[in-house]
Amino acid sequence: MPFSENTMNRLFTLLFVLSLTAWAADPWSTPSSQIDAVYPQVESLYLDLHRNPELSFHEEKTAAKIAEQLRKLGYDVTTEVGGTGVVGVLKNGSGPTVMLRAELDALPVPEKTGLAYASHVTTKNDQGVEVPVMHACGHDLHMAIGIGTAALLAQNKDRWRGTFIYVGQPAEERVGGAKAMMKDGLFTRFPKPDFAVAVHDTNGLPAGKVSYTPGFSASNSDSVDVTVYGVGGHGSAPQTTVDPIVIAARTIVTWQTIVAREIDPQEPAVITVGSIHGGTKHNIIPDEVHMQLTVRSYKDEVRKHLLAAIERIAVAEAAAAGAPKKPLVQLTDSVGAVYNDPQLTNRLAERLQQVFGVANVQLERPMMWSDDFAEYRSGGVPSTMIELGAVNPAKFQEAKKSGESLPSPHSPFFAPDREPSLKTGIAVEMAALLELLGKP
Ligand code: ZN
Ligand code: ZN
């Protein structure tokens, strides 16, 4: 190995700082000295948030910290928007209104990163079960980056005009927070944004690089619960029962034909049965089986077809087996696809490529994950989400060579490379916001 990890890190930071300095003369770059000056505040907020994660819709302390930071920066702050949501508004004359979304919530994941600032938090979930909590999706990173950006916008009012809104959104992981904030008047009680922007960290890029995806970038996501009913009895006498386990097994196999045989091969679609529960013991045929599905798609007509076909097949398989009643099919959670407004996305991508170099701003293909950032577009606001590389660049290169897969968001081992991820995030948000709010 030609370089130690530390040498690579130092080299990387130097290159990063040089690249920022080189562009300091243009109106979209933020001098690295300014980023360095806010960094200690951003880092200590990040460490505090990382050590003290909170679950979806219970982000009270997190929201209070964000509100306090924004108030100190001179923002007009409103709390308890859609539950624990925070809205910070900074007005700077007439001009466009742009919102930046950062998520407040963490996940019920036991942190295994071994970091000095790892979370040891446990809490009771909504079912009353004690669970570990970790910022395994990097929402702490997004919040801290957004505060750095909010600070620099407040310090550089001569470089932009219009209204900037920091939105601290609860419960992204339960895809309910954006909807709750909109219902509570996010676009009516506050200036309605002309554009919405977000960054999300990824293990698919090294720190220092970002990617963009015009059009669909994340899928519709529907959670479906299905209960299949039978007639229970002794495992040795199946002729006296209607076995719901066999019905469930046949139903699952037939569901696989929906994507394979009913959907246009050019249209992405996924049906995954992530959970199946039925029965208690070897020799008892139960009287019901419960299944939980996640269903992914981009287009509305594909989504409708998938959901209708799941129900049609469940009902038909139960009827074929002579089940005593129709299965219960319930849509329990839904979120629309993230569609990055192509005009906005390409505009920002061109600007970011100009500021950070083409090699550092890559085009990424769409994925089948989901995010309730989609709600803001449904509310009539052109929006885009930029993916932010969060992997230590040396580790990223090593993994590329060895083919090893790196921990992704939601993994207990996911640990963003702190300083370059935070600094790049701030520089990228500043460039994107100055493009949208910049003086003509
Ligand atoms: Zn997540
Ligand atoms: Zn996330």
Side-chain angles (χ1 to χ4, degrees), residues 52-341:
N52 299 290
E54 294 176 296
L55 290 179
S56 305
F57 284 126
H58 299 281
E59 311 94 336
E60 286 89 7
K61 287 180 195 144
T62 305
K65 285 170 197 168
I66 297 300
E68 189 201 334
Q69 296 268 344
L70 290 169
R71 273 194 202 105
K72 269 201 229 156
L73 295 170
Y75 282 63
D76 187 2
V77 177
T78 308
T79 55
E80 296 181 19
V81 181
T84 50
V86 181
V87 179
V89 179
L90 185 64
K91 287 192 176 159
N92 187 21
S94 65
T97 297
V98 181
M99 71 166 257
L100 176 73
R101 190 286 295 261
E103 319 89 313
L104 304 174
D105 58 333
L107 287 159
V109 168
E111 177 150 3
K112 293 178 184 165
T113 59
L115 291 168
Y117 52 93
S119 161
H120 301 288
V121 172
T122 64
T123 190
K124 280 203 165 57
N125 68 11
D126 289 348
Q127 287 73 46
V129 179
E130 193 76 17
V131 291
V133 193
M134 172 190 176
H135 266 298
C137 204
H139 296 175
D140 47 354
L141 196 75
H142 310 159
M143 282 186 270
I145 289 169
I147 291 296
T149 301
L152 290 177
L153 284 173
Q155 282 171 26
N156 287 280
K157 276 187 154 177
D158 56 324
R159 295 181 63 195
W160 62 282
R161 66 200 166 83
T163 301
F164 170 66
I165 308 179
Y166 181 113
V167 174
Q169 182 211 298
E172 187 283 319
E173 297 295 354
R174 286 177 56 186
V175 295
K179 221 179 262 177
M181 286 191 88
M182 306 250 303
K183 231 176 152 186
D184 200 9
L186 181 62
F187 289 171
T188 51
R189 286 165 57 197
F190 307 93
K192 184 168 177 177
D194 298 299
F195 304 105
V197 177
V199 299
H200 201 295
D201 57 9
T202 172
N203 65 330
L205 284 172
K209 289 184 194 268
V210 294
S211 67
Y212 65 99
T213 309
F216 286 116
S217 71
S219 67
N220 293 311
S221 171
D222 296 291
S223 299
V224 182
D225 282 53
V226 178
T227 307
V228 171
Y229 302 101
V231 177
H234 201 289
S236 67
Q239 76 280 10
T240 64
T241 73
V242 177
D243 188 344
I245 288 187
V246 175
I247 301 175
R250 276 207 300 252
T251 304
I252 291 170
V253 172
T254 312
W255 278 337
Q256 303 313 305
T257 65
I258 302 172
V259 174
R261 304 288 84 185
E262 297 186 25
I263 301 294
D264 180 340
Q266 301 296 330
E267 301 294 346
V270 177
I271 296 176
T272 292
V273 180
S275 151
I276 172 165
H277 289 279
T280 52
K281 200 176 178 307
H282 312 69
N283 61 353
I284 300 172
I285 291 169
D287 53 13
E288 62 179 61
V289 171
H290 185 65
M291 292 176 277
Q292 294 183 308
L293 288 67
T294 189
V295 184
R296 306 290 169 109
S297 57
Y298 288 130
K299 288 195 178 155
D300 280 349
E301 60 262 35
V302 174
R303 179 188 210 174
K304 276 188 203 138
H305 188 115
L306 295 172
L307 294 174
I310 286 167
E311 178 148 15
R312 166 171 45 84
I313 288 167
V315 168
E317 288 291 354
K325 62 175 172 174
K326 261 171 102 173
L328 181 65
V329 181
Q330 288 172 301
L331 187 61
T332 40
D333 261 328
S334 273
V335 66
V338 175
Y339 182 82
N340 290 325
D341 183 77

